[in-house]
Short mmCIF file of all heavy atoms in Angstrom, two decimals:
data_model
loop_
_atom_site.label_atom_id
_atom_site.label_comp_id
_atom_site.label_asym_id
_atom_site.label_seq_id
_atom_site.Cartn_x
_atom_site.Cartn_y
_atom_site.Cartn_z
N GLY A 50 -15.86 37.12 11.03
CA GLY A 50 -14.80 36.70 11.95
C GLY A 50 -15.24 36.91 13.39
O GLY A 50 -16.40 37.25 13.66
N PRO A 51 -14.34 36.73 14.33
CA PRO A 51 -14.70 36.93 15.74
C PRO A 51 -15.07 38.38 16.02
O PRO A 51 -14.53 39.31 15.41
CB PRO A 51 -13.43 36.53 16.50
CG PRO A 51 -12.64 35.73 15.52
CD PRO A 51 -12.95 36.26 14.17
N ALA A 52 -16.01 38.58 16.94
CA ALA A 52 -16.32 39.94 17.41
C ALA A 52 -15.08 40.52 18.10
O ALA A 52 -14.37 39.81 18.81
CB ALA A 52 -17.49 39.91 18.38
N ILE A 53 -14.83 41.80 17.89
CA ILE A 53 -13.61 42.40 18.43
C ILE A 53 -13.89 43.46 19.49
O ILE A 53 -12.96 44.07 20.03
CB ILE A 53 -12.74 43.00 17.30
CG1 ILE A 53 -13.52 44.08 16.52
CG2 ILE A 53 -12.26 41.90 16.36
CD1 ILE A 53 -12.69 44.76 15.44
N GLY A 54 -15.18 43.70 19.80
CA GLY A 54 -15.50 44.58 20.91
C GLY A 54 -15.88 45.99 20.53
O GLY A 54 -16.32 46.75 21.40
N ASP A 55 -15.71 46.37 19.27
CA ASP A 55 -16.08 47.73 18.88
C ASP A 55 -17.35 47.77 18.05
O ASP A 55 -17.64 48.78 17.41
CB ASP A 55 -14.92 48.38 18.10
CG ASP A 55 -14.72 47.75 16.72
OD1 ASP A 55 -15.25 46.62 16.49
OD2 ASP A 55 -14.05 48.37 15.87
N GLU A 56 -18.13 46.69 18.09
CA GLU A 56 -19.35 46.62 17.29
C GLU A 56 -20.36 47.68 17.76
O GLU A 56 -20.42 48.01 18.94
CB GLU A 56 -19.96 45.23 17.37
CG GLU A 56 -19.21 44.16 16.59
CD GLU A 56 -17.97 43.65 17.31
OE1 GLU A 56 -17.85 43.90 18.55
OE2 GLU A 56 -17.12 43.01 16.67
N ASP A 57 -21.17 48.14 16.81
CA ASP A 57 -22.19 49.14 17.13
C ASP A 57 -23.25 48.57 18.07
O ASP A 57 -23.75 49.27 18.95
CB ASP A 57 -22.85 49.65 15.84
CG ASP A 57 -21.86 50.34 14.93
OD1 ASP A 57 -21.24 51.32 15.38
OD2 ASP A 57 -21.71 49.89 13.77
N ILE A 58 -23.60 47.31 17.86
CA ILE A 58 -24.66 46.68 18.67
C ILE A 58 -24.18 45.28 19.05
O ILE A 58 -23.70 44.52 18.20
CB ILE A 58 -25.98 46.59 17.88
CG1 ILE A 58 -26.49 48.00 17.53
CG2 ILE A 58 -27.03 45.82 18.67
CD1 ILE A 58 -27.63 48.02 16.56
N ARG A 59 -24.33 44.95 20.32
CA ARG A 59 -23.95 43.62 20.80
C ARG A 59 -25.16 42.96 21.43
O ARG A 59 -25.72 43.47 22.40
CB ARG A 59 -22.82 43.73 21.84
CG ARG A 59 -22.34 42.35 22.36
CD ARG A 59 -21.13 42.52 23.26
NE ARG A 59 -21.49 43.21 24.50
CZ ARG A 59 -21.89 42.59 25.61
NH1 ARG A 59 -22.02 41.28 25.64
NH2 ARG A 59 -22.19 43.29 26.69
N LEU A 60 -25.57 41.83 20.86
CA LEU A 60 -26.67 41.06 21.43
C LEU A 60 -26.15 40.16 22.54
O LEU A 60 -25.12 39.50 22.38
CB LEU A 60 -27.34 40.19 20.35
CG LEU A 60 -28.49 40.83 19.56
CD1 LEU A 60 -28.05 42.09 18.85
CD2 LEU A 60 -29.08 39.84 18.57
N ASP A 61 -26.85 40.17 23.66
CA ASP A 61 -26.43 39.38 24.81
C ASP A 61 -27.62 38.55 25.31
O ASP A 61 -28.37 38.97 26.19
CB ASP A 61 -25.92 40.29 25.93
CG ASP A 61 -25.33 39.52 27.10
OD1 ASP A 61 -25.38 38.27 27.07
OD2 ASP A 61 -24.84 40.15 28.04
N PRO A 62 -27.80 37.34 24.77
CA PRO A 62 -28.95 36.51 25.17
C PRO A 62 -28.91 36.08 26.64
O PRO A 62 -29.93 35.62 27.17
CB PRO A 62 -28.84 35.29 24.24
CG PRO A 62 -28.00 35.74 23.09
CD PRO A 62 -27.04 36.72 23.67
N ALA A 63 -27.76 36.22 27.29
CA ALA A 63 -27.69 35.84 28.70
C ALA A 63 -28.41 36.86 29.59
O ALA A 63 -28.79 36.53 30.72
CB ALA A 63 -26.23 35.71 29.14
N ARG A 64 -28.60 38.08 29.10
CA ARG A 64 -29.31 39.11 29.87
C ARG A 64 -30.73 39.20 29.34
O ARG A 64 -30.98 39.81 28.31
CB ARG A 64 -28.57 40.44 29.77
CG ARG A 64 -27.23 40.41 30.52
CD ARG A 64 -26.32 41.54 30.08
NE ARG A 64 -26.96 42.84 30.18
CZ ARG A 64 -26.64 43.88 29.42
NH1 ARG A 64 -25.71 43.75 28.48
NH2 ARG A 64 -27.25 45.03 29.58
N ARG A 65 -31.63 38.56 30.06
CA ARG A 65 -33.02 38.42 29.62
C ARG A 65 -33.92 39.28 30.49
O ARG A 65 -33.72 39.38 31.69
CB ARG A 65 -33.44 36.95 29.66
CG ARG A 65 -32.60 36.08 28.73
CD ARG A 65 -33.15 34.68 28.61
NE ARG A 65 -32.42 33.95 27.59
CZ ARG A 65 -32.91 32.96 26.86
NH1 ARG A 65 -34.16 32.55 27.06
NH2 ARG A 65 -32.18 32.36 25.95
N PHE A 66 -34.95 39.83 29.84
CA PHE A 66 -35.88 40.71 30.52
C PHE A 66 -37.29 40.10 30.45
O PHE A 66 -37.46 38.94 30.78
CB PHE A 66 -35.80 42.10 29.92
CG PHE A 66 -34.39 42.66 29.94
CD1 PHE A 66 -33.61 42.70 28.79
CD2 PHE A 66 -33.82 43.11 31.13
CE1 PHE A 66 -32.31 43.19 28.81
CE2 PHE A 66 -32.52 43.61 31.17
CZ PHE A 66 -31.76 43.64 30.00
#
Side-chain angles (χ1 to χ4, degrees):
I53 59 177
D55 69 343
E56 287 79 16
D57 298 302
I58 298 170
R59 182 174 68 90
L60 270 59
D61 186 356
R64 291 163 54 208
R65 299 188 172 208
F66 305 103

